[in-house]
Amino acid sequence: MSACLHITRLTGAASLQDGGRRGYLRFGLSASGPMDPLAFAAANGLVGNPADAAALELGLAGVRLRAEGGAARLALAGAPSGLRLDGEPIAAHRSFLLREGSELTVERPREGVFAYLAAAGDFPVPAVMGSRALHQRAALGGLGGRACREGDRLPLSAPPPIEADRCVDPIPLEREAPIRVVLGPQDDLFAPAGRVTFLSEPFTVSNRADRMGYQLDGPEIAHGPGGFNIVSDATVAGSVQVPGSGRPIVLLADRQTTGGYPKIATVISADLRRIAQRRPGEAVRFEAIDLAAATRLARARASLIAGLADRLRPVEGEAERLMRANLAGAAVDALHAED
């Protein structure tokens, strides 16, 4: 039997995602890909994969997996989740070996929403239109066009050699930080009071939130005299539509590619993970910045992802950790110690 990860228990949402299905927006198909690209890239980097290799995205999910047909080198990054290897707790944000027959348990996250489990060598499921990312509404990618479920066996590639397990500092979820936006492209279709409401009042993530978009609860954002219908035009990841209810909807990875509601603002690409990691009931505030600042932040985030390999370090054993701490460095001679 070929090596695989057998999903023996699953609660919540789980899907295979890679860097996304690029080049099809003009055909009405959004890219999909990870909801938290930074955590996704960190998980892949820990096991020696390219940053856009396929990994298992867990959305408010707990999962138990067993290695069959061979061992797997794995790493989990993203929303803080309890992690157990054959019942013994281990740390996230580090790589580790799951031996054949051993079981890994990932608990539902204590905070945040999305965590990523990467396997050295990738998950070699068939690519559809150049990507393995699941687009659930289009039934493309993933496991035959669907999400993962109990009983599935995720195939494993032969892992590249890694001399030692590696770790990286946990990536903050930034769940309290404001969501930065660039106003427009249709902010002029809102009443001045509506624009003030959007930037000054708190909203909360509603229960109507998924990979397509997060609808927010809160005060009504007033449209201008032209109302809330426009000729449908293009959307992007981060478009903030405001329908007739006056409640904003932030479009995300699996969004529709066009829409007929005015868009008051666009969440900057560097902050998409900030809103994706907010749970239903958690607060959201918006802060407007200009396009030049958004561009600088996008470049900084791209540089951070590209430089993740430089942040990795070997996992230390207990003896090595104590030696590095230099616990004896402050020792004194008791015979000559001052009173």
Side-chain angles (χ1 to χ4, degrees):
M1 180 176 64
S2 299
C4 67
L5 292 180
H6 183 189
I7 300 177
T8 59
R9 186 176 70 85
L10 175 63
T11 58
S15 67
L16 288 176
Q17 298 292 335
D18 62 12
R21 189 170 284 103
R22 307 294 177 181
Y24 293 96
L25 288 177
R26 65 187 184 277
F27 301 114
L29 182 64
S30 51
S32 298
M35 293 283 274
D36 185 340
L38 183 56
F40 170 82
N44 270 317
L46 285 165
V47 294
N49 290 345
D52 60 353
L56 183 63
E57 179 181 85
L58 301 171
L60 286 177
V63 65
R64 185 169 62 233
L65 308 109
R66 182 169 60 244
E68 297 180 351
R73 190 168 297 278
L74 306 174
L76 185 81
S81 307
L83 202 59
R84 293 183 177 274
L85 179 58
D86 288 333
E88 296 297 321
I90 59 173
H93 292 90
R94 58 155 291 179
S95 60
F96 56 90
L97 187 67
L98 183 68
R99 301 185 184 280
E100 183 175 3
S102 290
E103 283 195 333
L104 176 72
T105 299
V106 182
E107 299 171 354
R108 287 171 64 93
R110 298 182 296 274
E111 58 180 303
V113 178
F114 292 100
Y116 295 88
L117 184 71
D122 206 344
F123 293 102
V125 299
V128 179
M129 300 167 71
S131 172
R132 297 168 180 168
L134 175 67
H135 193 302
Q136 192 156 358
R137 284 176 171 80
L140 296 175
L143 295 178
R146 64 168 175 83
C148 300
R149 57 192 181 210
E150 283 188 15
D152 283 337
R153 287 176 166 84
L154 307 180
L156 294 167
S157 299
I162 296 180
E163 295 181 359
D165 288 326
R166 298 180 291 185
C167 63
V168 69
D169 292 332
I171 299 168
L173 298 184
E174 304 175 293
R175 289 165 51 249
E176 305 300 323
I179 307 299
R180 293 167 291 191
V181 300
V182 174
L183 290 175
Q186 286 110 21
D187 56 307
D188 58 325
L189 299 184
F190 293 84
R195 295 193 291 271
V196 170
T197 297
F198 176 69
L199 292 174
S200 63
E201 297 295 329
F203 298 86
T204 57
V205 178
S206 77
N207 289 322
R208 298 173 297 282
D210 60 16
R211 283 181 47 87
M212 186 174 181
Y214 283 13
Q215 184 167 328
L216 306 181
D217 289 330
E220 181 177 343
I221 296 172
H223 295 86
F228 58 87
N229 282 315
I230 64 171
V231 175
S232 292
D233 66 358
T235 69
V236 298
S239 289
V240 184
Q241 291 185 321
V242 185
S245 66
R247 269 58 176 192
I249 303 171
V250 182
L251 303 184
L252 296 169
D254 288 353
R255 72 195 182 281
Q256 73 277 17
T257 58
T258 63
Y261 297 130
K263 296 171 287 295
I264 193 169
T266 305
V267 176
I268 68 171
S269 59
D271 279 9
L272 289 173
R273 69 181 300 267
R274 285 185 176 181
I275 193 159
Q277 293 286 14
R278 307 276 170 99
R279 296 185 179 198
E282 292 188 335
V284 174
R285 284 184 175 273
F286 294 102
E287 175 185 316
I289 63 174
D290 61 25
L291 183 59
T295 301
R296 288 194 299 272
L297 290 166
R299 288 172 175 165
R301 177 56 49 85
S303 295
L304 176 59
I305 290 175
L308 277 172
D310 297 331
R311 295 170 174 259
L312 303 180
R313 60 184 186 275
V315 174
E316 296 178 329
E318 185 64 14
E320 290 82 0
R321 187 187 68 81
L322 293 174
M323 289 178 65
R324 186 169 62 84
N326 191 25
L327 297 181
V332 296
D333 185 342
L335 296 177
H336 296 90
E338 296 180 1
D339 293 333

